[in-house]
Amino acid sequence: EDGYVTHELQPKEDYCPICRDTFTKKTQLMCKHEFCEGCLQQAEKSMGPVCPVCREVFGKIEGNQPEGTMTWETFPQSLPGFPGCGTIEITYCIPDGRQTEKHPNPGQPYYGFMRTACLPDNKEGVEVLHLLKRAFDQKLIFTVGTSRTTGADNQVTWNDIHHKTSRSGGPACFGYPDPDYLSRVKEELKEKGIK
């Protein structure tokens, strides 16, 4: 009658969140989530090294980006919203090639491209550049699929890590100013284990 409800403490249920059964060879990830060893291996095959509960990356994610190069140079001109610092211009070059078993149409050709993107040449911009380089080396920046702009198949396309491909015009034109861009792209990279 005093407004308090007493609950008995229940023992922590000891079951795998994937198979919903008692653990077989319990494995704990850095995020503290636990799984059967076999269930986690199956989840990793389908999702990559990502916790099925909280999505924290526990290994190195390797993408299916075709071979290519990533280079960059700096220019003294400032980007809108970043006065007093220059610009880092990144050039990605992915030549034409043949799709592998990791792509939608193995054996068929894909059509490459050259793209440029820019970052402010300041501390955070340089940090993002290094994160993008790691993502490029792990084959995460591009993939092969259907172009969102042209609808053409078998194209090299961006792979969910947003880039500023224009120096101006704001977010609607994939350009600057966009004060939240650097923090957003760092979050996208973190979701792929690049931090």
Side-chain angles (χ1 to χ4, degrees), residues 69-75 77 79 86-93 113-121 125-126 128-129 132-133 136 141-142 158 161-168 173-176 181-182 185 188-189:
T69 59
M70 173 185 177
T71 58
W72 59 91
E73 55 186 314
T74 58
F75 296 94
Q77 300 86 0
L79 293 166
T87 299
I88 301 167
E89 186 175 276
I90 303 167
T91 301
Y92 295 107
C93 184
F113 61 40
M114 189 162 86
R115 294 283 186 273
T116 59
C118 44
L119 296 165
D121 190 6
V126 170
V128 169
L129 173 67
L132 289 172
K133 175 65 172 132
F136 186 83
I141 302 283
F142 300 103
W158 296 101
I161 298 172
H162 290 87
H163 283 66
K164 292 295 181 185
T165 54
S166 177
R167 289 175 182 252
S168 61
C173 298
F174 309 106
Y176 294 93
Y181 169 68
L182 295 173
V185 77
E188 293 170 353
L189 288 157

Side-chain angles (χ1 to χ4, degrees), residues 101-181:
E101 66 282 348
K102 295 178 181 180
H103 299 124
N105 300 302
Q108 288 191 21
Y110 61 79
Y111 304 96
F113 61 40
M114 189 162 86
R115 294 283 186 273
T116 59
C118 44
L119 296 165
D121 190 6
N122 61 14
K123 184 180 178 192
E124 194 176 18
V126 170
E127 176 192 0
V128 169
L129 173 67
H130 292 297
L131 294 171
L132 289 172
K133 175 65 172 132
R134 284 186 41 218
F136 186 83
D137 291 345
Q138 286 178 227
K139 302 182 176 297
L140 299 171
I141 302 283
F142 300 103
T143 188
V144 175
T146 302
S147 168
R148 289 185 189 150
T149 50
T150 66
D153 290 329
N154 303 321
Q155 304 295 310
V156 175
T157 64
W158 296 101
N159 193 23
D160 301 327
I161 298 172
H162 290 87
H163 283 66
K164 292 295 181 185
T165 54
S166 177
R167 289 175 182 252
S168 61
C173 298
F174 309 106
Y176 294 93
D178 186 349
D180 301 324
Y181 169 68

